[in-house]
Amino acid sequence: MTPLLKRSMAATFLVAAIGLGGCASDDATSTDATTGDDSATTVAEVTIDTFIFSPDPLEVEAGTTVTFENLDDTTHTVTAGTRDEPADDFDHDLAQGESVDVTFDEPGTHPYFCAIHSGEGMTGEIVVQ
């Protein structure tokens, strides 16, 4: 599958998912199985496709859980900070098809990068309002 076709398919899926999301409320509600508490959970997604984190930057509200999903056929990392100044907040290896959830509670700009690949698209930012 060509990178352009993969990107087109991912865009089509995203548009379809957004369209379906319009049928529900703006905030997703989840129930904590251990406590039974209902809590509003906001979820956003960053994909890794053709060695590019997208969208970049991603703007979210404080408390949002961001799902990072690797659509490439090679392993990438999602590592907090920059290449020059890595942070200890998170560092996850993602093989093809894997994803990880990271919750961003603190307002500000949170940079991240792939520690394996140094290409231009292998850095990103989560901007928390």
Side-chain angles (χ1 to χ4, degrees):
M1 186 177 302
T2 68
L4 181 58
L5 180 58
K6 284 173 63 177
R7 183 172 289 153
S8 176
M9 289 174 60
T12 300
F13 175 79
L14 181 59
V15 170
I18 290 170
L20 291 174
C23 297
S25 67
D26 289 337
D27 291 329
T29 300
S30 63
T31 301
D32 184 328
T34 58
T35 64
D37 292 338
D38 288 336
S39 61
T41 303
T42 304
V43 179
E45 183 176 82
V46 171
T47 59
I48 308 168
D49 190 11
T50 61
F51 290 78
I52 297 172
F53 288 110
S54 181
D56 177 43
L58 173 64
E59 295 185 16
V60 299
E61 296 295 321
T64 298
T65 297
V66 176
T67 300
F68 293 88
E69 182 177 13
N70 182 5
L71 302 178
D72 279 343
D73 59 359
T74 188
T75 298
H76 292 289
T77 74
V78 178
T79 304
T82 65
R83 290 184 201 294
D84 294 333
E85 294 183 38
D88 292 330
D89 298 342
F90 55 89
D91 184 15
H92 302 281
D93 293 345
L94 297 177
Q96 179 183 20
E98 290 185 336
S99 64
V100 65
D101 292 336
V102 179
T103 301
F104 291 86
D105 292 320
E106 296 297 319
T109 299
H110 302 271
Y112 62 90
F113 65 101
C114 175
I116 300 170
H117 305 102
S118 60
E120 184 176 317
M122 293 272 72
T123 61
E125 291 180 338
I126 306 296
V127 180
V128 180
Q129 303 298 322

